[in-house]
Each structure stands twice: as structure tokens, then as C-alpha cells.
């Protein structure tokens, strides 16, 4: 399991200091990119890099709010399912409470945006 940390910034909140729901996908994207960097899978110039996967599906469940100044911990787990790279996330807020969970599914687009096979180097990083 990979853990990414994020400190909630003022601009990510509403007038009550609560994180706006639209930012959670941004937090999960930030964690996924950090995961790819940590595993040596991210090269913006190279086809087949983690930056060249298309988002196929997103799901976010909000259970508790997070607030301006909170130190968030985002757990990231990845698995390969055929030609899909599936990420599951668990976001911990104050008191280490689980505040949100999510899943994103990514596919490698090929010629004409038809899905291709996941490059082999990713399989060793999938759980």
C-alpha cells in the first residue's frame, strides 16, 4: 500500500472552511501521480507512461467532511484487471477517521483510442 499526504489549502474549501466535494478527485489524482512517481512509472514524454492512461471510470463516496488545514493521508492500492488499471483510495482526515473512499479505473488508449494491453512493467506494481 502506498500513502500520500496532502495539507488542505484555503482555496480547496467553501465559506465554512469545509473541503468542496470536487476537490476529492483532485486529491486522488495527486495521490495516483505520486504512486506512479514512487514506482518509476511516470515519464511525461514516453508513450505507455502513467501519464498516458485515460480515465475510464470514477467513483467517490463522501462519509465525513475535511477542513482547511487538515493533514490528509490517502492510501492508494493498484490492481490490474485485464486491460484496466484499477486504483482504490482511502482518505483519512482528523483523528485518522476515514472521510472518503474512491475508485478510479484507467485504460491505455491505442490507435484510434481503442484500449490496448497494459504494459508489462505495471503488473509488478499491482496488488
Amino acid at each position: 500500500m502506498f500513502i500520500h499526504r496532502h495539507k488542505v489549502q484555503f482555496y480547496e474549501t467553501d465559506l465554512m472552511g469545509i473541503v468542496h466535494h470536487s476537490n476529492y478527485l483532485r486529491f486522488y489524482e495527486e495521490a495516483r501521480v505520486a504512486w506512479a512517481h514512487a514506482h518509476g512509472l511516470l515519464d511525461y514524454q514516453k508513450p505507455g507512461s502513467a501519464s498516458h492512461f485515460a480515465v475510464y471510470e470514477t467513483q467517490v463516496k463522501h462519509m465525513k467532511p475535511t477542513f482547511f488545514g487538515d493533514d490528509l493521508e490517502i492510501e492508494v492500492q493498484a490492481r490490474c484487471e485485464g486491460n484496466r488499471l484499477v486504483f482504490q483510495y482511502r482518505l483519512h482526515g482528523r483523528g485518522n477517521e476515514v472521510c472518503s473512499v474512491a475508485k478510479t479505473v484507467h485504460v491505455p488508449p491505442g490507435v484510434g483510442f481503442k484500449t490496448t494491453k497494459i504494459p508489462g512493467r505495471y503488473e509488478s506494481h499491482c496488488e
Side-chain angles (χ1 to χ4, degrees), residues 60-120:
V60 180
K61 182 176 180 182
H62 306 280
M63 287 117 62
K64 295 185 182 270
T66 56
F67 303 88
F68 171 57
D70 280 359
D71 292 310
L72 307 179
E73 245 186 39
I74 303 163
E75 298 173 1
V76 181
Q77 289 183 305
R79 70 179 186 278
C80 296
E81 291 182 358
N83 62 351
R84 295 178 180 166
L85 188 53
V86 179
F87 288 91
Q88 291 192 280
Y89 314 86
R90 185 178 305 271
L91 185 143
H92 297 265
R94 292 180 180 182
N96 202 31
E97 287 189 292
V98 176
C99 298
S100 175
V101 294
K103 172 180 145 182
T104 61
V105 180
H106 306 262
V107 295
V111 177
F113 293 101
K114 293 189 183 217
T115 304
T116 62
K117 185 178 179 188
I118 292 177

Side-chain angles (χ1 to χ4, degrees), residues 41 48 53 80 117-126:
L41 298 171
F53 277 78
C80 296
K117 185 178 179 188
I118 292 177
R121 67 179 194 241
Y122 288 88
E123 292 177 12
S124 64
H125 300 289
C126 294

